[in-house]
Amino acid sequence: MIGAFAAKLPLATPGELRANGVLGLNRRNLHYVQGENRRALYPLVDDKRQTKRLLESSGVATPKLLGVIEGERDADSCLQRMADAGEGFVVKPAKGSAGKGVTVIEEVLANRRGRILFRTAGGDLLSLSQLRHHLSNILSGVYSFGDRRDSAVVEEVVHPAPPFTEIVWEGIPDIRIVVMRGYPVMAMGRLPTLESDGRGNLHQGAVGVGIRIADGAFAGGQHKNRFISEHPDTLRPLDGYTVPDWGKMLRLAARCTDLVGLGFLGVDIVVDRERGPLILELNARPGVSIQLANRCGLEARLAKAEAWAEAGDAEDAEPADARVARAQAGFA
Ligand SMILES: Nc1ncnc2c1ncn2[C@@H]1O[C@H](COP(=O)(O)OP(=O)(O)O)[C@@H](O)[C@H]1O
Ligand SMILES: [Mg+2]
């Protein structure tokens, strides 16, 4: 079935996609996002400050928070503190999505006269006033849900670990795991490209590569909704890699459901070369293009997870380890 699906997908009609078990946006919104996720819980994942607080208080590793900029007045002092520290950092809107407004500063450069430049993961150089202007934009809410005023989150830069360092040029890949009622159902690696400016967001031009739930092996790949088999910048093949500590990562993702209580959840993990797997963010409306990267529809897997959860509820809900074991055995 997957073979036929892979061959046909780019030209498939909505009816053909449904027949192949592909989840569309309407059904995702109605059945899964609205049906599984209580609205009152959204702020826990839509506001990166709240997510960080929740993860840290539960002992789940996440990139270290270096500062929160609530208003214009905090912005100058925080930027000066970052420039003085001389280390890389990341600024992002607290309520942003799809990589909008995320700037990864890899390096702070200073000359003897005190001139400062910030080098981004994509290789651009920003002056202090350019970065300050970017912070003002973040605070004004242009990148954020609902366009209301927002805050900026400043956090440490995560540095990629093998095997990702072999495939990407710059920036940090993230691993998206879709978790249904606590069961990991599908996974994808998102690999930055020069175009995505170090960010792993497909909307910014990153590559999506399927990751098998069973064993963490890379399989498939898509870029801008076209099937690909190699990274467009480094020309490295996308198959032949396996995510290290895959079982641990799946358990981490499964545990996030227990923490936030969202039945349909996207868990984003980055692997730091020193700290290992870290939860980057959680998502109440995971996208559907993970299916394209895996060349496999989500519907059957989501239904299976629902059935497992309902059978479990009759007895006692399964702990995260057991849910992961079931998913690894059930999803080849
Ligand atoms: N601390 C960080 N270190 C390095 N890269 C990061 C960091 N935070 C984010 N990024 C990059 O930027 C992308 C978007 O950041 P993320 O926090 O997921 O925001 P969004 O909600 O907009 O997707 C990530 O996929 C990653 O590639
Ligand atoms: Mg993200």
Side-chain angles (χ1 to χ4, degrees):
M1 171 212 130
I2 296 172
F5 169 49
K8 273 194 202 154
L9 191 63
L11 300 172
T13 64
E16 282 173 322
L17 292 175
R18 260 197 310 279
N20 276 307
V22 175
L23 177 67
L25 271 181
N26 285 340
R27 190 164 147 75
R28 178 205 68 168
N29 291 340
L30 282 172
H31 190 79
Y32 294 105
V33 177
Q34 288 172 29
E36 296 290 331
N37 295 344
R38 271 199 297 133
R39 270 200 99 76
L41 298 174
Y42 287 10
L44 283 179
V45 296
D46 285 348
D47 184 331
K48 291 187 165 66
R49 291 167 301 181
Q50 289 201 36
T51 313
K52 253 194 202 310
R53 242 175 267 141
L54 175 70
L55 294 173
E56 278 173 357
S57 66
S58 315
V60 176
T62 173
K64 204 167 100 198
L65 187 65
L66 301 176
V68 173
I69 301 173
E70 305 281 0
E72 296 287 341
R73 260 191 293 162
D74 307 338
D76 291 315
S77 56
C78 185
L79 263 192
Q80 196 54 54
R81 188 158 57 82
M82 291 299 121
D84 292 344
E87 303 279 334
F89 59 94
V90 178
V91 293
K92 57 177 89 168
K95 297 180 186 164
S97 65
K100 287 178 281 184
V102 178
T103 301
V104 181
I105 304 294
E106 281 285 353
E107 200 180 359
V108 181
L109 310 164
N111 71 6
R112 281 190 229 154
R113 283 169 284 121
R115 180 161 181 240
I116 292 165
L117 288 173
F118 300 95
R119 186 176 65 78
T120 72
D124 290 334
L125 292 173
L126 300 178
S127 66
L128 197 60
S129 66
Q130 283 170 317
L131 191 55
R132 177 68 182 81
H133 183 72
H134 179 61
L135 280 174
S136 285
N137 282 339
I138 291 180
L139 295 174
S140 74
V142 293
Y143 303 115
S144 309
F145 288 117
D147 270 359
R148 262 172 269 135
R149 281 196 72 77
D150 198 1
S151 305
V153 169
V154 184
E155 67 183 22
E156 69 176 349
V157 182
V158 177
H159 293 105
F164 304 105
T165 37
E166 292 173 31
I167 318 167
V168 301
W169 188 252
E170 269 280 8
I172 182 99
D174 71 11
I175 293 170
R176 155 67 54 90
I177 303 179
V178 175
V179 187
M180 175 69 184
R181 302 230 191 142
Y183 294 90
V185 292
M186 200 172 274
M188 150 175 79
R190 294 181 299 193
L191 313 175
T193 57
L194 287 176
E195 179 187 348
S196 76
D197 210 11
R199 294 165 295 183
N201 302 88
L202 302 182
H203 287 98
Q204 307 296 340
V207 164
V209 59
I211 299 178
R212 277 207 308 250
I213 291 288
D215 56 6
F218 280 24
Q222 67 110 341
H223 186 221
K224 299 182 174 173
N225 293 334
R226 281 170 185 275
F227 292 143
I228 55 162
S229 56
E230 55 188 37
H231 191 284
D233 304 334
T234 61
L235 305 184
R236 294 301 296 248
L238 295 176
D239 53 3
Y241 297 99
T242 299
V243 179
D245 291 330
W246 182 234
K248 190 171 159 189
M249 248 182 236
L250 289 174
R251 287 190 289 278
L252 194 59
R255 244 190 95 199
C256 286
T257 298
D258 304 333
L259 291 180
V260 291
L262 293 166
F264 183 56
L265 180 68
V267 177
D268 294 347
I269 302 175
V270 288
V271 185
D272 181 73
R273 65 185 178 211
E274 270 149 32
R275 297 187 62 200
L278 308 172
I279 299 283
L280 186 60
E281 63 161 341
L282 301 173
N283 204 305
R285 308 165 200 78
V288 293
S289 54
I290 190 169
Q291 301 171 104
L292 205 52
N294 278 276
R295 301 177 194 180
C296 175
L298 264 170
E299 285 281 15
R301 295 189 183 197
L302 292 169
K304 218 173 200 180
E306 261 179 284
W308 286 335
E310 266 148 36
D313 282 346
E315 303 148 27
D316 245 338
E318 289 190 294
D321 286 8
R323 296 195 305 260
V324 167
R326 201 183 281 277
Q328 286 193 281
F331 304 132

